[in-house]
C-alpha cells in the first residue's frame, strides 16, 4: 500500500482543485457560453469568440510550463493567474482575461506536479481538469441566473441579447476563491522545495501543442464561415466535418511523439468523441455532483489498475478504455423501444467513468508525457468539442446564435442528431483505439 503523508495529501488535493477550476474556466469562460452570432456574410476572424479565448489561455499555460525553471517560478505563475481570476470574477472582463488566468494556474500546477515522483499530485491535476470540463456545462443555469419561464418560439428566434456583463458569476467567484486557497496551501507545502530546479520540456512538444491550439481557433473560424455559406446555398440540417482535420492532426501528433507519451492526445480526442454519448443534458447542482463522482470513480479505477507508482500497466489500461469508449459511442445506433435504453443508461453512468479513467491512465504510464504535451491535450478538449461534428439548422438556430445557449456539450459537439455525426464519432474512437494498440507495442520513452 502506498503511504501518503499530510503534505502529499494537501498537495494532491490542491492540485485537483486548481485543475478543476482551470478546466471549468477554459471549457466555459463565460456564464453564457459561446460569444458569437450567425451572419449570412462571411465573418472575420472571431477574436471575441470562446474558442479563441481558450486557445490564448492554452498558449499562456504552455508559456508558464516552458518558463518554469524552478518551482518558485511556477508558483509565481500560478499566483498571477489566481489574481487575474479573482479580478475577472469581481469585475466585468472579457472571456480572454478569464482564460489567461486559468492558463496561468494550469501551466504552473502542471510544471510543479510533474516533478512529483509519486505521481499523485500530477494525477490529481489531470483528473481535476477533466472533472471541471465535464461538470461546468451542468452548472449553466446556475451561472446565468436566468428566468425559468420559456420564451415562445425560442428555437427560432435569437436571444434577447448577448451576455456582456460577466461580474458576479457565482461559479467563477467560488472557483477563484478555491484557487487562491489552493495556491496558498501549495506555497506553504512546497516551501522547502521552492529552489528546486524543474527540467524544462523540450521545445518540440511545446511547439507542437501550440500549433494544435492555434489550429483549433482557425478551424472554428472555418466553422463560422461554413455556417454563412450553408445559409446562402441550401437548407436543412448539416453537420460540419471540417473539425476532423484537427482530430487527424492530434492523432498524427500522438504517433509522432516518442514512446508512448502520445497516448494522452488519443485519450483527449476520444473523450471529445464520446461527449455525444454522455447523456448529460440536464443542468443543475445534483447533475454536476453525479458527474463529478463518476469521473472521480474513473480516475480511482485508473490509479488502481495502472501498476501503482511504476505505471507499467497504464498503457494497456488506456487501450482498454478507448475500446470501451468506442463500444459506448456505437451504442447510439440502438434506437428500438427497449434497446434505446442501453445507450441512455450507459451514456449517463458509464461514459464519464471511462473518460476519467482514460485520461488519468494516459498520464500514469512508465514514462510520463512532458508538461507541454499534457497542457496541449487537456486544452484541446474544449477546442475539439466546439469544432467537430457540429450540427446547424436552417434558421437562426438557437445554440449557434444565442449567447445564453451553453447548456451542455451537446449544443456544440457530437450531438446525436445525425447519422453522420454518430458514424464520425465511432470512426474517431476506433482510430484512437487502433493507434493506441500500435503505441502499446513501442518501448516507453526514457523517463526524465
Amino acid at each position: 500500500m502506498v503511504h501518503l503523508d499530510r503534505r502529499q495529501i494537501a498537495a494532491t488535493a490542491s492540485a485537483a482543485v486548481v485543475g478543476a477550476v482551470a478546466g471549468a474556466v477554459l471549457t466555459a469562460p463565460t456564464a453564457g457560453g459561446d460569444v458569437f452570432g450567425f451572419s449570412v456574410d462571411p465573418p472575420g476572424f472571431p477574436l471575441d469568440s470562446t474558442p479563441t479565448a481558450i486557445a490564448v489561455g492554452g498558449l499562456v499555460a504552455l508559456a508558464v510550463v516552458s518558463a518554469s525553471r524552478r518551482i518558485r517560478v511556477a508558483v509565481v505563475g500560478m499566483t498571477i493567474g489566481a489574481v487575474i481570476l479573482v479580478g475577472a470574477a469581481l469585475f466585468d472582463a472579457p472571456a480572454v482575461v478569464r482564460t489567461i488566468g486559468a492558463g496561468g494556474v494550469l501551466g504552473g500546477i502542471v510544471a510543479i506536479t510533474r516533478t512529483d515522483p509519486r505521481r499523485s499530485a500530477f494525477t490529481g491535476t489531470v483528473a481535476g481538469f477533466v472533472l471541471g470540463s465535464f461538470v461546468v456545462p451542468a452548472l449553466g443555469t446556475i451561472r446565468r441566473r436566468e428566468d425559468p419561464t420559456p420564451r415562445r418560439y425560442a428555437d427560432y428566434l435569437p436571444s434577447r441579447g448577448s451576455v456582456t456583463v460577466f461580474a458576479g458569476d457565482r461559479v467563477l467567484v467560488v472557483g477563484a476563491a478555491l484557487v487562491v486557497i489552493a495556491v496558498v496551501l501549495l506555497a506553504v507545502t512546497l516551501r522547502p522545495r521552492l529552489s528546486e530546479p524543474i527540467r524544462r520540456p523540450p521545445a518540440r512538444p511545446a511547439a507542437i501543442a501550440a500549433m494544435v491550439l492555434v489550429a483549433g481557433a482557425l478551424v472554428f473560424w472555418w466553422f463560422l464561415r461554413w455556417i454563412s455559406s450553408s445559409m446562402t446555398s441550401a437548407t436543412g440540417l448539416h453537420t460540419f466535418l471540417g473539425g476532423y482535420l484537427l482530430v487527424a492532426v492530434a492523432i498524427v501528433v500522438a504517433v509522432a511523439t516518442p514512446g508512448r507519451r502520445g497516448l494522452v492526445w488519443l485519450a483527449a480526442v476520444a473523450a471529445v468523441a464520446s461527449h455525444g454519448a454522455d447523456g448529460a443534458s440536464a443542468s443543475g447542482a445534483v447533475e454536476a455532483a453525479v458527474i463529478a463522482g463518476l469521473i472521480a470513480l474513473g480516475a480511482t479505477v485508473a490509479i488502481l489498475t495502472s501498476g501503482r507508482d511504476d505505471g507499467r500497466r497504464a498503457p494497456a489500461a488506456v487501450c482498454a478504455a478507448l475500446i470501451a469508449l468506442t463500444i459506448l459511442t456505437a451504442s447510439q445506433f440502438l434506437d428500438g423501444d427497449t434497446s434505446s435504453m442501453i445507450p441512455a443508461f450507459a451514456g449517463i453512468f458509464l461514459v464519464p467513468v471511462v473518460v476519467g479513467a482514460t485520461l488519468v491512465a494516459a498520464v500514469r504510464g512508465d514514462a510520463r508525457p512532458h508538461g507541454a504535451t499534457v497542457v496541449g491535450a487537456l486544452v484541446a478538449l474544449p477546442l475539439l468539442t466546439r469544432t467537430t461534428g457540429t450540427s446547424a439548422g436552417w434558421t437562426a438556430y438557437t445554440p449557434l446564435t444565442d449567447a445564453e445557449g451553453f447548456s451542455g456539450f451537446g449544443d456544440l459537439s457530437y450531438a446525436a442528431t445525425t447519422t453522420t455525426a454518430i458514424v464520425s464519432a465511432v470512426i474517431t474512437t476506433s482510430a484512437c483505439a487502433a493507434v493506441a494498440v500500435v503505441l502499446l507495442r513501442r518501448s516507453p520513452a526514457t523517463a526524465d
Side-chain angles (χ1 to χ4, degrees):
M1 180 179 295
V2 179
H3 175 70
L4 296 179
D5 56 27
R6 292 182 179 179
R7 289 180 179 271
Q8 190 72 20
I9 294 174
T12 301
S14 299
V17 168
V18 172
V21 175
V25 174
L26 287 170
T27 299
T30 71
D34 291 271
V35 183
F36 69 91
F38 92 99
S39 173
V40 176
D41 300 323
F45 186 79
L47 291 174
D48 296 331
S49 70
T50 297
T52 302
I54 295 170
V56 171
L59 294 176
V60 170
L62 289 174
V64 174
V65 166
S66 300
S68 297
R69 298 289 188 92
R70 296 184 181 277
I71 290 180
R72 178 187 294 109
V73 177
V75 171
V76 170
M78 289 179 57
T79 302
I80 295 175
V83 171
I84 293 175
L85 281 178
V86 171
L90 299 179
F91 305 99
D92 295 347
V96 69
V97 174
R98 298 178 170 205
T99 58
I100 288 174
V105 297
L106 176 64
I109 196 63
V110 169
I112 293 172
T113 57
R114 194 179 180 277
T115 64
D116 175 23
R118 296 185 179 180
R119 303 171 185 259
S120 59
F122 190 52
T123 300
T125 300
V126 174
F129 190 98
V130 178
L131 187 150
S133 295
F134 266 70
V135 165
V136 70
L139 301 176
T141 56
I142 296 176
R143 299 181 70 184
R144 291 193 296 267
R145 300 190 296 272
E146 62 185 8
D147 184 357
T149 303
R151 291 185 292 123
R152 183 174 297 179
Y153 309 121
D155 290 339
Y156 302 96
L157 298 177
S159 69
R160 290 167 288 190
S162 299
V163 177
T164 56
V165 179
F166 302 137
D169 180 345
R170 63 186 71 180
V171 173
L172 183 62
V173 169
V174 174
L178 290 175
V179 166
V180 170
I181 296 173
V183 170
V184 171
L185 185 58
L186 275 172
V188 173
T189 303
L190 296 172
R191 185 176 179 180
R193 300 175 53 203
L194 289 178
S195 299
E196 183 178 314
I198 298 177
R199 181 173 296 182
R200 291 181 60 187
R204 182 182 176 185
I208 290 176
M211 176 196 70
V212 174
L213 299 183
V214 171
L218 293 175
V219 169
F220 183 73
W221 182 22
W222 180 13
F223 167 58
L224 294 184
R225 296 181 69 86
W226 171 82
I227 294 176
S228 172
S229 175
S230 65
M231 288 182 175
T232 59
S233 61
T235 60
L237 185 66
H238 308 281
T239 301
F240 177 68
L241 300 178
Y244 288 101
L245 176 62
L246 196 61
V247 167
V249 169
I251 293 177
V252 170
V253 168
V255 175
T257 302
R260 303 168 183 168
R261 290 192 173 110
L263 286 172
V264 66
W265 286 106
L266 301 177
V269 170
V272 173
S274 65
H275 274 319
D278 63 9
S281 59
S283 181
V286 175
E287 289 77 8
V290 171
I291 295 172
L294 293 173
I295 292 176
L297 174 61
T300 303
V301 171
I303 294 171
L304 295 177
T305 58
S306 61
R308 293 187 179 180
D309 288 342
D310 55 20
R312 288 177 297 179
R313 295 195 298 268
V318 174
C319 293
L322 291 176
I323 294 172
L325 284 179
T326 301
I327 296 173
L328 292 173
T329 305
S331 70
Q332 294 178 88
F333 286 110
L334 300 175
D335 58 359
D337 294 338
T338 303
S339 61
S340 61
M341 297 299 296
I342 296 176
F345 176 85
I348 295 174
F349 297 104
L350 295 183
V351 169
V353 175
V354 180
V355 166
T358 306
L359 279 155
V360 168
V363 299
R364 286 185 62 86
D366 35 18
R368 280 171 286 184
H370 295 294
T373 301
V374 173
V375 167
L378 291 179
V379 180
L381 283 170
L383 281 177
L384 286 168
T385 298
R386 287 171 169 79
T387 57
T388 318
T390 306
S391 299
W394 64 272
T395 63
Y397 189 50
T398 301
L400 301 179
T401 61
D402 190 343
E404 298 183 359
F406 192 95
S407 60
F409 282 103
D411 288 344
L412 288 172
S413 67
Y414 285 103
T417 54
T418 65
T419 302
T420 302
I422 301 175
V423 171
S424 301
V426 173
I427 292 175
T428 298
T429 53
S430 301
C432 290
V435 174
V437 172
V438 173
L439 297 186
L440 185 62
R441 300 172 64 89
R442 292 181 177 178
S443 298
T446 303
D448 56 358

